[in-house]
Every structure is written in C-alpha cells, then in structure tokens.
PDB file of all heavy atoms in Angstrom:
ATOM      1  N   SER A   1      94.953 163.174  61.744  1.00 95.00           N
ATOM      2  CA  SER A   1      95.158 162.801  63.132  1.00 95.00           C
ATOM      3  C   SER A   1      95.015 164.046  63.972  1.00 95.00           C
ATOM      4  O   SER A   1      95.556 165.097  63.631  1.00 95.00           O
ATOM      5  CB  SER A   1      96.557 162.179  63.305  1.00 95.00           C
ATOM      6  OG  SER A   1      96.672 161.603  64.594  1.00 95.00           O
ATOM      7  N   THR A   2      94.300 163.945  65.072  1.00 94.00           N
ATOM      8  CA  THR A   2      94.023 165.067  65.925  1.00 94.00           C
ATOM      9  C   THR A   2      93.800 164.605  67.334  1.00 94.00           C
ATOM     10  O   THR A   2      93.590 163.415  67.619  1.00 94.00           O
ATOM     11  CB  THR A   2      92.812 165.878  65.401  1.00 94.00           C
ATOM     12  OG1 THR A   2      92.707 167.111  66.143  1.00 94.00           O
ATOM     13  CG2 THR A   2      91.526 165.077  65.568  1.00 94.00           C
ATOM     14  N   ASP A   3      93.825 165.541  68.285  1.00 93.00           N
ATOM     15  CA  ASP A   3      93.402 165.202  69.656  1.00 93.00           C
ATOM     16  C   ASP A   3      91.969 164.779  69.647  1.00 93.00           C
ATOM     17  O   ASP A   3      91.138 165.390  68.964  1.00 93.00           O
ATOM     18  CB  ASP A   3      93.568 166.406  70.598  1.00 93.00           C
ATOM     19  CG  ASP A   3      95.038 166.779  70.827  1.00 93.00           C
ATOM     20  OD1 ASP A   3      95.887 165.942  70.602  1.00 93.00           O
ATOM     21  OD2 ASP A   3      95.266 167.919  71.261  1.00 93.00           O
ATOM     22  N   PHE A   4      91.641 163.732  70.379  1.00 93.00           N
ATOM     23  CA  PHE A   4      90.306 163.225  70.470  1.00 93.00           C
ATOM     24  C   PHE A   4      89.490 164.134  71.390  1.00 93.00           C
ATOM     25  O   PHE A   4      89.830 164.277  72.561  1.00 93.00           O
ATOM     26  CB  PHE A   4      90.297 161.764  70.963  1.00 93.00           C
ATOM     27  CG  PHE A   4      88.934 161.177  71.056  1.00 93.00           C
ATOM     28  CD1 PHE A   4      88.133 161.029  69.927  1.00 93.00           C
ATOM     29  CD2 PHE A   4      88.427 160.757  72.293  1.00 93.00           C
ATOM     30  CE1 PHE A   4      86.858 160.469  70.012  1.00 93.00           C
ATOM     31  CE2 PHE A   4      87.167 160.201  72.383  1.00 93.00           C
ATOM     32  CZ  PHE A   4      86.372 160.035  71.249  1.00 93.00           C
ATOM     33  N   GLY A   5      88.444 164.721  70.903  1.00 90.00           N
ATOM     34  CA  GLY A   5      87.652 165.652  71.692  1.00 90.00           C
ATOM     35  C   GLY A   5      86.703 164.998  72.681  1.00 90.00           C
ATOM     36  O   GLY A   5      86.230 165.641  73.603  1.00 90.00           O
ATOM     37  N   GLY A   6      86.303 163.744  72.430  1.00 89.00           N
ATOM     38  CA  GLY A   6      85.411 163.060  73.314  1.00 89.00           C
ATOM     39  C   GLY A   6      84.317 162.315  72.556  1.00 89.00           C
ATOM     40  O   GLY A   6      84.087 162.543  71.376  1.00 89.00           O
ATOM     41  N   TRP A   7      83.655 161.432  73.287  1.00 88.00           N
ATOM     42  CA  TRP A   7      82.573 160.640  72.729  1.00 88.00           C
ATOM     43  C   TRP A   7      81.411 161.580  72.397  1.00 88.00           C
ATOM     44  O   TRP A   7      81.163 162.534  73.105  1.00 88.00           O
ATOM     45  CB  TRP A   7      82.129 159.551  73.703  1.00 88.00           C
ATOM     46  CG  TRP A   7      83.266 158.787  74.270  1.00 88.00           C
ATOM     47  CD1 TRP A   7      83.690 158.779  75.560  1.00 88.00           C
ATOM     48  CD2 TRP A   7      84.179 157.921  73.549  1.00 88.00           C
ATOM     49  NE1 TRP A   7      84.803 157.978  75.693  1.00 88.00           N
ATOM     50  CE2 TRP A   7      85.117 157.437  74.473  1.00 88.00           C
ATOM     51  CE3 TRP A   7      84.280 157.524  72.225  1.00 88.00           C
ATOM     52  CZ2 TRP A   7      86.161 156.543  74.109  1.00 88.00           C
ATOM     53  CZ3 TRP A   7      85.311 156.676  71.879  1.00 88.00           C
ATOM     54  CH2 TRP A   7      86.226 156.196  72.813  1.00 88.00           C
ATOM     55  N   GLN A   8      80.682 161.283  71.356  1.00 86.00           N
ATOM     56  CA  GLN A   8      79.534 162.057  70.905  1.00 86.00           C
ATOM     57  C   GLN A   8      79.883 163.405  70.257  1.00 86.00           C
ATOM     58  O   GLN A   8      79.015 164.102  69.803  1.00 86.00           O
ATOM     59  CB  GLN A   8      78.512 162.270  72.004  1.00 86.00           C
ATOM     60  CG  GLN A   8      77.973 161.046  72.645  1.00 86.00           C
ATOM     61  CD  GLN A   8      77.098 160.226  71.684  1.00 86.00           C
ATOM     62  OE1 GLN A   8      76.559 160.743  70.723  1.00 86.00           O
ATOM     63  NE2 GLN A   8      76.959 158.943  71.981  1.00 86.00           N
ATOM     64  N   LEU A   9      81.145 163.792  70.252  1.00 91.00           N
ATOM     65  CA  LEU A   9      81.587 165.047  69.636  1.00 91.00           C
ATOM     66  C   LEU A   9      81.850 164.840  68.156  1.00 91.00           C
ATOM     67  O   LEU A   9      82.484 163.860  67.795  1.00 91.00           O
ATOM     68  CB  LEU A   9      82.854 165.611  70.318  1.00 91.00           C
ATOM     69  CG  LEU A   9      83.377 166.886  69.728  1.00 91.00           C
ATOM     70  CD1 LEU A   9      82.505 168.038  70.168  1.00 91.00           C
ATOM     71  CD2 LEU A   9      84.810 167.085  70.161  1.00 91.00           C
ATOM     72  N   THR A  10      81.371 165.740  67.325  1.00 93.00           N
ATOM     73  CA  THR A  10      81.630 165.651  65.897  1.00 93.00           C
ATOM     74  C   THR A  10      83.002 166.270  65.628  1.00 93.00           C
ATOM     75  O   THR A  10      83.203 167.449  65.874  1.00 93.00           O
ATOM     76  CB  THR A  10      80.548 166.362  65.069  1.00 93.00           C
ATOM     77  OG1 THR A  10      79.309 165.718  65.342  1.00 93.00           O
ATOM     78  CG2 THR A  10      80.846 166.216  63.599  1.00 93.00           C
ATOM     79  N   HIS A  11      83.915 165.470  65.065  1.00 95.00           N
ATOM     80  CA  HIS A  11      85.229 165.937  64.690  1.00 95.00           C
ATOM     81  C   HIS A  11      85.152 166.351  63.215  1.00 95.00           C
ATOM     82  O   HIS A  11      84.549 165.662  62.415  1.00 95.00           O
ATOM     83  CB  HIS A  11      86.270 164.854  64.897  1.00 95.00           C
ATOM     84  CG  HIS A  11      86.493 164.517  66.306  1.00 95.00           C
ATOM     85  ND1 HIS A  11      85.656 163.734  67.023  1.00 95.00           N
ATOM     86  CD2 HIS A  11      87.472 164.895  67.201  1.00 95.00           C
ATOM     87  CE1 HIS A  11      86.056 163.587  68.279  1.00 95.00           C
ATOM     88  NE2 HIS A  11      87.191 164.326  68.385  1.00 95.00           N
ATOM     89  N   ARG A  12      85.760 167.490  62.866  1.00 95.00           N
ATOM     90  CA  ARG A  12      85.704 167.957  61.477  1.00 95.00           C
ATOM     91  C   ARG A  12      87.106 168.046  60.906  1.00 95.00           C
ATOM     92  O   ARG A  12      88.003 168.520  61.564  1.00 95.00           O
ATOM     93  CB  ARG A  12      85.024 169.325  61.439  1.00 95.00           C
ATOM     94  CG  ARG A  12      83.572 169.276  61.801  1.00 95.00           C
ATOM     95  CD  ARG A  12      82.991 170.676  61.940  1.00 95.00           C
ATOM     96  NE  ARG A  12      81.562 170.638  62.205  1.00 95.00           N
ATOM     97  CZ  ARG A  12      81.032 170.407  63.402  1.00 95.00           C
ATOM     98  NH1 ARG A  12      81.801 170.221  64.439  1.00 95.00           N
ATOM     99  NH2 ARG A  12      79.738 170.402  63.543  1.00 95.00           N
ATOM    100  N   PHE A  13      87.266 167.588  59.679  1.00 95.00           N
ATOM    101  CA  PHE A  13      88.537 167.599  59.010  1.00 95.00           C
ATOM    102  C   PHE A  13      88.359 168.274  57.633  1.00 95.00           C
ATOM    103  O   PHE A  13      87.442 167.920  56.914  1.00 95.00           O
ATOM    104  CB  PHE A  13      89.069 166.164  58.813  1.00 95.00           C
ATOM    105  CG  PHE A  13      89.184 165.394  60.114  1.00 95.00           C
ATOM    106  CD1 PHE A  13      88.133 164.529  60.495  1.00 95.00           C
ATOM    107  CD2 PHE A  13      90.270 165.521  60.901  1.00 95.00           C
ATOM    108  CE1 PHE A  13      88.247 163.819  61.674  1.00 95.00           C
ATOM    109  CE2 PHE A  13      90.411 164.803  62.071  1.00 95.00           C
ATOM    110  CZ  PHE A  13      89.383 163.956  62.479  1.00 95.00           C
ATOM    111  N   LEU A  14      89.289 169.149  57.292  1.00 95.00           N
ATOM    112  CA  LEU A  14      89.270 169.786  55.983  1.00 95.00           C
ATOM    113  C   LEU A  14      90.004 168.850  55.001  1.00 95.00           C
ATOM    114  O   LEU A  14      91.134 168.409  55.225  1.00 95.00           O
ATOM    115  CB  LEU A  14      89.981 171.166  56.027  1.00 95.00           C
ATOM    116  CG  LEU A  14      90.137 171.837  54.679  1.00 95.00           C
ATOM    117  CD1 LEU A  14      88.751 172.175  54.100  1.00 95.00           C
ATOM    118  CD2 LEU A  14      90.947 173.113  54.861  1.00 95.00           C
ATOM    119  N   VAL A  15      89.334 168.535  53.905  1.00 95.00           N
ATOM    120  CA  VAL A  15      89.900 167.639  52.914  1.00 95.00           C
ATOM    121  C   VAL A  15      90.793 168.462  51.992  1.00 95.00           C
ATOM    122  O   VAL A  15      90.361 169.476  51.420  1.00 95.00           O
ATOM    123  CB  VAL A  15      88.783 166.955  52.067  1.00 95.00           C
ATOM    124  CG1 VAL A  15      89.357 166.117  50.983  1.00 95.00           C
ATOM    125  CG2 VAL A  15      87.841 166.158  52.973  1.00 95.00           C
ATOM    126  N   GLU A  16      92.063 168.080  51.946  1.00 95.00           N
ATOM    127  CA  GLU A  16      93.053 168.797  51.115  1.00 95.00           C
ATOM    128  C   GLU A  16      93.408 168.074  49.834  1.00 95.00           C
ATOM    129  O   GLU A  16      93.932 168.689  48.912  1.00 95.00           O
ATOM    130  CB  GLU A  16      94.293 169.109  51.927  1.00 95.00           C
ATOM    131  CG  GLU A  16      93.969 170.038  53.110  1.00 95.00           C
ATOM    132  CD  GLU A  16      95.182 170.319  53.975  1.00 95.00           C
ATOM    133  OE1 GLU A  16      96.303 169.799  53.674  1.00 95.00           O
ATOM    134  OE2 GLU A  16      95.044 171.103  54.918  1.00 95.00           O
ATOM    135  N   SER A  17      93.207 166.767  49.813  1.00 94.00           N
ATOM    136  CA  SER A  17      93.479 165.940  48.596  1.00 94.00           C
ATOM    137  C   SER A  17      92.368 164.953  48.438  1.00 94.00           C
ATOM    138  O   SER A  17      91.686 164.551  49.365  1.00 94.00           O
ATOM    139  CB  SER A  17      94.807 165.155  48.787  1.00 94.00           C
ATOM    140  OG  SER A  17      95.877 166.074  49.003  1.00 94.00           O
ATOM    141  N   ARG A  18      92.188 164.519  47.199  1.00 95.00           N
ATOM    142  CA  ARG A  18      91.164 163.487  46.930  1.00 95.00           C
ATOM    143  C   ARG A  18      91.489 162.233  47.754  1.00 95.00           C
ATOM    144  O   ARG A  18      92.665 161.809  47.746  1.00 95.00           O
ATOM    145  CB  ARG A  18      91.123 163.115  45.434  1.00 95.00           C
ATOM    146  CG  ARG A  18      90.560 164.218  44.591  1.00 95.00           C
ATOM    147  CD  ARG A  18      90.528 163.809  43.127  1.00 95.00           C
ATOM    148  NE  ARG A  18      90.053 164.895  42.310  1.00 95.00           N
ATOM    149  CZ  ARG A  18      88.736 165.084  42.059  1.00 95.00           C
ATOM    150  NH1 ARG A  18      87.841 164.287  42.584  1.00 95.00           N
ATOM    151  NH2 ARG A  18      88.393 166.108  41.334  1.00 95.00           N
ATOM    152  N   CYS A  19      90.500 161.719  48.454  1.00 95.00           N
ATOM    153  CA  CYS A  19      90.773 160.578  49.316  1.00 95.00           C
ATOM    154  C   CYS A  19      89.460 159.823  49.596  1.00 95.00           C
ATOM    155  O   CYS A  19      88.367 160.316  49.337  1.00 95.00           O
ATOM    156  CB  CYS A  19      91.401 161.017  50.644  1.00 95.00           C
ATOM    157  SG  CYS A  19      90.367 162.128  51.619  1.00 95.00           S
ATOM    158  N   THR A  20      89.606 158.651  50.189  1.00 95.00           N
ATOM    159  CA  THR A  20      88.494 157.826  50.626  1.00 95.00           C
ATOM    160  C   THR A  20      88.795 157.319  52.033  1.00 95.00           C
ATOM    161  O   THR A  20      89.604 156.405  52.205  1.00 95.00           O
ATOM    162  CB  THR A  20      88.288 156.617  49.667  1.00 95.00           C
ATOM    163  OG1 THR A  20      88.123 157.134  48.352  1.00 95.00           O
ATOM    164  CG2 THR A  20      87.019 155.857  50.095  1.00 95.00           C
ATOM    165  N   PRO A  21      88.188 157.908  53.069  1.00 96.00           N
ATOM    166  CA  PRO A  21      88.399 157.393  54.426  1.00 96.00           C
ATOM    167  C   PRO A  21      87.801 155.952  54.556  1.00 96.00           C
ATOM    168  O   PRO A  21      86.786 155.657  53.979  1.00 96.00           O
ATOM    169  CB  PRO A  21      87.585 158.387  55.306  1.00 96.00           C
ATOM    170  CG  PRO A  21      87.249 159.535  54.432  1.00 96.00           C
ATOM    171  CD  PRO A  21      87.273 159.041  53.022  1.00 96.00           C
ATOM    172  N   ARG A  22      88.510 155.150  55.331  1.00 95.00           N
ATOM    173  CA  ARG A  22      88.065 153.723  55.477  1.00 95.00           C
ATOM    174  C   ARG A  22      87.808 153.370  56.946  1.00 95.00           C
ATOM    175  O   ARG A  22      86.881 152.631  57.209  1.00 95.00           O
ATOM    176  CB  ARG A  22      89.135 152.771  54.883  1.00 95.00           C
ATOM    177  CG  ARG A  22      89.379 152.967  53.428  1.00 95.00           C
ATOM    178  CD  ARG A  22      88.230 152.496  52.567  1.00 95.00           C
ATOM    179  NE  ARG A  22      88.115 151.064  52.793  1.00 95.00           N
ATOM    180  CZ  ARG A  22      87.082 150.379  52.448  1.00 95.00           C
ATOM    181  NH1 ARG A  22      86.045 150.963  51.926  1.00 95.00           N
ATOM    182  NH2 ARG A  22      87.024 149.081  52.663  1.00 95.00           N
ATOM    183  N   ARG A  23      88.661 153.825  57.850  1.00 94.00           N
ATOM    184  CA  ARG A  23      88.459 153.439  59.239  1.00 94.00           C
ATOM    185  C   ARG A  23      89.109 154.456  60.146  1.00 94.00           C
ATOM    186  O   ARG A  23      89.823 155.363  59.721  1.00 94.00           O
ATOM    187  CB  ARG A  23      89.016 152.035  59.496  1.00 94.00           C
ATOM    188  CG  ARG A  23      90.463 151.862  59.176  1.00 94.00           C
ATOM    189  CD  ARG A  23      90.879 150.373  59.210  1.00 94.00           C
ATOM    190  NE  ARG A  23      92.276 150.261  58.812  1.00 94.00           N
ATOM    191  CZ  ARG A  23      93.317 150.416  59.646  1.00 94.00           C
ATOM    192  NH1 ARG A  23      93.085 150.621  60.926  1.00 94.00           N
ATOM    193  NH2 ARG A  23      94.558 150.315  59.227  1.00 94.00           N
ATOM    194  N   TYR A  24      88.824 154.349  61.438  1.00 94.00           N
ATOM    195  CA  TYR A  24      89.375 155.256  62.457  1.00 94.00           C
ATOM    196  C   TYR A  24      89.854 154.464  63.679  1.00 94.00           C
ATOM    197  O   TYR A  24      89.445 153.302  63.846  1.00 94.00           O
ATOM    198  CB  TYR A  24      88.301 156.268  62.918  1.00 94.00           C
ATOM    199  CG  TYR A  24      87.189 155.639  63.705  1.00 94.00           C
ATOM    200  CD1 TYR A  24      87.311 155.510  65.116  1.00 94.00           C
ATOM    201  CD2 TYR A  24      86.055 155.113  63.112  1.00 94.00           C
ATOM    202  CE1 TYR A  24      86.337 154.882  65.856  1.00 94.00           C
ATOM    203  CE2 TYR A  24      85.048 154.500  63.855  1.00 94.00           C
ATOM    204  CZ  TYR A  24      85.211 154.400  65.220  1.00 94.00           C
ATOM    205  OH  TYR A  24      84.247 153.790  65.960  1.00 94.00           O
ATOM    206  N   VAL A  25      90.674 155.092  64.469  1.00 94.00           N
ATOM    207  CA  VAL A  25      91.136 154.516  65.707  1.00 94.00           C
ATOM    208  C   VAL A  25      91.309 155.646  66.709  1.00 94.00           C
ATOM    209  O   VAL A  25      91.779 156.721  66.385  1.00 94.00           O
ATOM    210  CB  VAL A  25      92.420 153.678  65.563  1.00 94.00           C
ATOM    211  CG1 VAL A  25      93.611 154.508  65.152  1.00 94.00           C
ATOM    212  CG2 VAL A  25      92.718 152.893  66.863  1.00 94.00           C
ATOM    213  N   VAL A  26      90.848 155.420  67.942  1.00 94.00           N
ATOM    214  CA  VAL A  26      91.071 156.330  69.065  1.00 94.00           C
ATOM    215  C   VAL A  26      92.018 155.625  69.984  1.00 94.00           C
ATOM    216  O   VAL A  26      91.729 154.506  70.407  1.00 94.00           O
ATOM    217  CB  VAL A  26      89.755 156.629  69.778  1.00 94.00           C
ATOM    218  CG1 VAL A  26      90.044 157.543  71.012  1.00 94.00           C
ATOM    219  CG2 VAL A  26      88.746 157.308  68.859  1.00 94.00           C
TER     220      VAL A  26
END
C-alpha cells in the first residue's frame, strides 16, 4: 500500500516474500 502517484505512472514495489498479486484498488 502506498500513496497513489497518478494515472499513467508506473508504481514499483520491492517483493519481500513469495506472493501472487491478484488485484488493486485506488
């Protein structure tokens, strides 16, 4: 979870544990 930077901006997240992203919400 992070501050939303804006439409068309690529958000980057460092993976710290094995996971499978499924969906997002702004």
Side-chain angles (χ1 to χ4, degrees):
S1 189
T2 189
D3 290 341
F4 180 62
W7 312 113
Q8 301 293 337
L9 177 75
T10 300
H11 294 78
R12 292 172 177 81
F13 303 96
L14 176 62
V15 177
E16 295 179 359
S17 301
R18 293 181 180 273
C19 62
T20 305
R22 299 290 295 164
R23 56 191 178 85
Y24 69 89
V25 64
V26 176

